[in-house]
Amino acid sequence: DLQNARMVQSLLIPGKLRGSRLVRFAVAYEPSHGVSGDVITFPRPDEPEFRFFLGDVCGHGVSAGIYTILVKYLGDRLSREDGDCPDEILLRMNEALADVLPNRFVTAMYGLFTRTENGVRFRISHAAHPVFFLLREEKPLETVRLPPSPGLGLLQNTSLPLTEKDLQKGDRLVFFTDGLEEALNEQGEEFGLERLAGLVEESSGRTVEDVPNFLLEGIRKFSRSAPVMDDQSCLVFEVK
């Protein structure tokens, strides 16, 4: 049953990756327990804008994995309703998940890339998933910390922050689930956000396609023989 669950999940998440006229991107998706509690999807791939959803269902194992299918479905379906700002979509997901996640919640990011006259505008909203990295050419790495917000499925009648960034060709964004920064080594020490930021800086000379696996390999070297306790997912984008 576990093997079948993993097979079905691997077909759906992240699903078929399509190209984009706005960004190059690459994905790493590593379950810790056969099936993953992490969710990656790319809603509305037929449109000139480019969207992504990255989420993490609280918990591990098959039960969390089952909920990822529901979360992916909602992320795709609710993206097609009127009002397509990332915060609006996450609020619709929050309402839909309120009664179907007993003793669980989902941390999430929803991002939207749109072409402008001077480059690309990036809008992002999140639910208890507040950090990503922005690497611009000839500038130091920026650790972007978004305003605090609750996880999906926890609170009704809430609000979620919306943040905008104007991007130029060559700018990179790196998103990840907490399995990367919370990875442990044999002494029980966490990898941590600072080490992860250092790895992202080291990856700047690599192609986008190489970066996710480069980051996970760096974490594996740190952890050595320590067991992997959480799913590890990573998304990297570079503006065309």
Side-chain angles (χ1 to χ4, degrees):
D1 287 346
L2 180 61
Q3 185 176 2
N4 289 334
R6 173 58 186 148
M7 180 185 69
V8 171
Q9 188 183 59
S10 66
L11 291 173
L12 296 174
I13 301 175
K16 184 178 180 180
L17 302 182
R18 304 192 184 190
S20 165
R21 288 181 286 181
L22 298 179
V23 292
R24 297 180 180 86
F25 68 99
V27 177
Y29 184 73
E30 294 286 343
S32 62
H33 294 83
V35 293
S36 176
D38 289 352
V39 187
I40 300 171
T41 190
F42 301 95
R44 294 163 70 163
D46 52 324
E47 296 189 351
E49 299 173 330
F50 189 81
R51 305 163 181 271
F52 74 91
F53 174 89
L54 174 64
D56 185 355
V57 178
C58 174
H60 308 290
V62 175
S63 59
I66 291 172
Y67 283 114
T68 64
I69 307 303
L70 171 63
V71 173
K72 174 183 167 59
Y73 167 75
L74 290 174
D76 290 338
R77 183 175 70 82
L78 296 179
S79 293
R80 294 190 175 274
E81 296 186 3
D82 292 338
D84 64 353
C85 274
D87 57 331
E88 296 173 345
I89 295 167
L90 287 184
L91 285 172
R92 290 200 290 270
M93 293 184 69
N94 183 61
E95 183 178 351
L97 290 168
D99 298 322
V100 297
L101 287 176
N103 303 314
R104 292 181 186 272
F105 62 92
V106 180
T107 69
M109 285 181 157
Y110 194 109
L112 171 63
F113 296 90
T114 308
R115 178 68 69 189
T116 65
E117 290 185 1
N118 300 315
V120 169
R121 177 158 298 148
F122 176 63
R123 288 181 287 173
I124 186 169
S125 186
H126 82 100
H129 204 130
V131 179
F132 67 93
F133 296 116
L134 173 58
L135 186 60
R136 301 182 190 265
E137 293 184 347
E138 308 299 327
K139 292 186 179 180
L141 178 72
E142 180 182 354
T143 301
V144 181
R145 300 179 186 273
L146 302 172
S149 64
L152 300 180
L154 286 176
L155 298 174
Q156 294 301 289
N157 302 315
T158 188
S159 61
L160 297 174
L162 180 67
T163 300
E164 294 189 1
K165 294 278 187 181
D166 287 322
L167 305 174
Q168 303 298 320
K169 182 178 179 181
D171 289 350
R172 285 188 180 182
L173 301 97
V174 179
F175 304 91
F176 51 93
T177 54
D178 59 7
L180 276 72
E181 61 178 300
E182 294 178 2
L184 302 176
N185 63 13
E186 295 165 323
Q187 289 73 44
E189 180 184 9
E190 278 193 357
F191 190 71
L193 194 63
E194 186 175 342
R195 286 191 182 93
L196 185 55
L199 269 186
V200 172
E201 288 184 301
E202 285 183 41
S203 74
S204 61
R206 296 176 176 269
T207 65
V208 169
E209 293 77 12
D210 287 344
V211 173
N213 287 327
F214 173 79
L215 299 181
L216 294 191
E217 179 60 26
I219 293 170
R220 282 192 287 268
K221 290 178 180 178
F222 169 82
S223 298
R224 301 186 68 178
S225 62
V228 178
M229 303 303 294
D230 199 1
D231 312 308
Q232 298 177 347
S233 297
C234 179
L235 280 168
V236 180
F237 299 92
E238 182 178 279
V239 177
K240 290 184 177 180

